[in-house]
Amino acid sequence: DGLCVFVMPTSAVGAVIGAKGSKISEIMSESGAEIDVGRECIIGMPDNPVVLRGRPRQIVRAAVLCNAVLQDLADKGRVQADDFFYIPGRAATATRSRGASSGSLSFARFLVEKDFAGFLIGKGGDKIKRLRDQTGATLQFRGPAEEVTLILGQDQRVLDIRGSADERNEAIRACFVEMDAASMSTTRLLLPLACPEVPLQEAAKAAGASIEMLDDIASPESSERVVLLGGDSSIRMAAVLALVTKADAYSSNAPVTANANQAKTNQTNQT
């Protein structure tokens, strides 16, 4: 038997593994190869090693199937071309953003409905591409198969925004314009558990918004909590900007679900 190791952007690991390991099990079954995703990112890189074991034809087939998942993510705008370039000194747990250095990467993550995801993406992806070009931030939607540490319904999506602080904030403002157009009356924001509740509550109330901490979609492996914000759109937007700025002070890196995904992969490989 042979062995092949390749690297994969951490942001794509969840899609390759799938919900409860379903996708990686499918790939192993179809290819006949064994697949193991490394538990840790490669030092200095937001990428994970992926080990394929088997006969040459099995390894090649597994690599082709993994690449098909990556291509699908690329077609949907969920990974970018520069996710596949080595940039020395990048933060090992952050998704890369166009135009943003690793030291200035900021993020915002919203819980939204599937219908709004389609509304924001627009026909042929035109609207979300325009927002990316306009703000310089990376915007992508992630579903249950990719957010395995969140208990998402089939009609729920995570809107993931990343870039420099200015790019991230500009994208938040642009998205609120679209949220208004879609008549969204509340905002659900995902924030790291590392952020204490009291400073978050104080920041939201200072902006004039109501705030409620929810835990209905977080699994025990999740590193995030859901914050429900109420009030007028302008008030909620001000609260979101204050909260993500507060989160920046407590967390220098964006949340990553890879650890839970990798644990599920290892369990799958052992069965």
Side-chain angles (χ1 to χ4, degrees), residues 18-270:
K20 298 182 179 178
S22 59
K23 188 62 180 180
I24 202 167
S25 294
E26 176 187 322
I27 293 173
M28 288 192 292
S29 176
E30 183 172 339
S31 67
E34 294 183 7
I35 305 175
D36 185 25
V37 180
R39 291 177 178 272
E40 303 293 339
C41 296
I42 299 170
I43 296 174
M45 299 174 64
D47 304 285
N48 291 69
V50 178
V51 180
L52 309 178
R53 294 184 177 88
R55 294 189 293 276
R57 62 180 180 80
Q58 294 174 322
I59 291 174
V60 170
R61 182 57 180 161
V64 168
L65 293 172
C66 288
N67 185 71
V69 176
L70 294 174
Q71 185 61 57
D72 182 60
L73 293 176
D75 292 342
K76 294 176 179 177
R78 294 178 179 174
V79 294
Q80 306 298 319
D82 59 0
D83 285 326
F84 298 90
F85 288 96
Y86 173 63
I87 302 174
R90 282 185 290 122
T93 56
T95 300
R96 269 157 284 187
S97 173
R98 298 169 298 165
S101 67
S102 61
S104 62
L105 191 68
S106 299
F107 68 95
R109 283 160 55 85
F110 295 89
L111 180 63
V112 300
E113 298 301 317
K114 180 181 177 180
D115 288 346
F116 177 72
F119 176 78
L120 190 65
I121 291 170
K123 186 176 180 179
D126 287 346
K127 185 182 292 186
I128 198 167
K129 182 180 184 301
R130 173 174 54 80
L131 291 176
R132 289 172 182 150
D133 293 340
Q134 172 187 325
T135 65
T138 296
L139 295 86
Q140 61 177 320
F141 286 99
R142 297 167 61 85
E146 295 153 302
E147 295 287 345
V148 295
T149 65
L150 298 176
I151 307 171
L152 299 181
Q154 289 303 310
D155 291 330
Q156 292 180 312
R157 298 291 184 269
V158 171
L159 169 57
D160 189 289
I161 301 173
R162 301 178 187 241
S164 68
D166 288 343
E167 290 170 340
R168 184 266 316 270
N169 293 348
E170 186 63 26
I172 289 172
R173 295 185 185 96
C175 286
F176 261 92
V177 172
E178 301 299 333
M179 291 175 184
D180 282 348
S183 301
M184 292 176 62
S185 59
T186 59
T187 299
R188 290 174 292 177
L189 182 67
L190 288 161
L191 290 172
L193 288 172
C195 302
E197 289 190 14
V198 172
L200 298 179
Q201 292 169 340
E202 291 174 346
K205 290 177 180 177
S210 64
I211 181 170
E212 182 180 355
M213 306 291 178
L214 305 178
D215 58 6
D216 55 333
I217 69 161
S219 75
E221 297 171 324
S222 177
S223 62
E224 297 171 280
R225 63 161 59 90
V226 180
V227 174
L228 177 65
L229 299 171
D232 292 342
S233 176
S234 60
I235 289 175
R236 284 182 281 118
M237 183 179 72
V240 168
L241 292 170
L243 291 172
V244 295
T245 299
K246 185 72 68 174
D248 289 345
Y250 285 96
S251 176
S252 59
N253 292 315
V256 171
T257 59
N259 289 340
N261 293 340
Q262 292 156 9
K264 291 177 184 293
T265 302
N266 291 330
Q267 291 171 6
T268 301
N269 291 340
Q270 291 169 5

